[in-house]
Amino acid sequence: MLVGEVMTDNVRFVEVDDPLREALAAMHDLDVRHVPVLDEGELVGILSDRDLRAYEAASDQPESERMEVRVAEVMNTDLQVVGPEAELVEVIDLMLEHRVGAVPVVDPSTRDLVGIVSYIDVLAEARRTL
C-alpha cells in the first residue's frame, strides 16, 4: 500500500513566525497532535503536542507569554519525510525508529508539502484491512 492512499492531503499548517497560540488552536480545532511548519512555503519543521509539553515544562514564563512565543522556537526541525509513492511500511518503520507519530509527505520533485501520515491514519488503514 502506498502512502498517498492513506495520507491526509488537505493539511493544515502553521508558519514559523506564528505564535504558539495559533498552532495550538489549529491542533485543537482539527483534533490532531502534529502540525507541519512552513517558512515561505517550504517545509522546515513539525510541531507536536510533545514539543509543546516539553517547552511548557522547561519554561518559567506565564502561560500568556508562552503562547506568544514563535513556533520556530519550539518546533522540531529533525524531519523525517516521505513521498506519496512510498510504501506505507516505510512510514511505519520511520515512526518506530524515530519515535514520531506523524510523517510529512512531500512531492519528491519540488519538496512541496502534499500531505501528512499520522499513526491514526496507519491504524485506521490496518483496521479497515483486518
Side-chain angles (χ1 to χ4, degrees):
M1 171 152 293
L2 300 179
V3 167
E5 298 175 68
V6 299
M7 72 181 188
T8 300
D9 60 3
N10 188 14
V11 183
R12 176 96 177 259
F13 60 86
V14 294
E15 297 283 341
V16 289
D17 291 327
D18 287 345
L20 285 181
R21 70 179 153 68
E22 287 185 27
L24 189 60
M27 294 166 77
H28 181 268
D29 291 348
L30 296 170
D31 194 24
V32 297
R33 294 181 179 182
H34 308 84
V35 61
V37 182
L38 303 184
D39 184 9
E40 297 183 8
E42 179 184 344
L43 178 66
V44 293
I46 192 163
L47 184 69
S48 71
D49 59 342
R50 186 185 319 172
D51 299 324
L52 290 169
R53 285 191 309 272
Y55 174 71
E56 183 177 271
S59 176
D60 59 357
Q61 296 175 313
E63 182 178 2
S64 60
E65 290 178 26
R66 283 194 314 264
M67 289 298 105
E68 295 307 314
V69 168
R70 292 175 49 238
V71 167
E73 296 181 41
V74 181
M75 70 182 187
N76 184 342
T77 58
D78 183 21
L79 288 174
Q80 307 302 316
V81 300
V82 295
E85 298 299 316
E87 293 288 335
L88 190 56
V89 70
E90 182 181 339
V91 171
I92 294 169
D93 289 344
L94 285 172
M95 288 177 169
L96 292 170
E97 180 181 346
H98 297 279
R99 299 181 50 91
V100 296
V103 177
V105 182
V106 298
D107 181 305
S109 61
T110 63
R111 302 283 294 169
D112 289 341
L113 180 68
V114 296
I116 192 166
V117 177
S118 74
Y119 71 94
I120 296 294
D121 298 320
V122 172
L123 288 172
E125 182 58 28
R127 178 63 184 108
R128 189 184 70 73
T129 59
L130 293 178

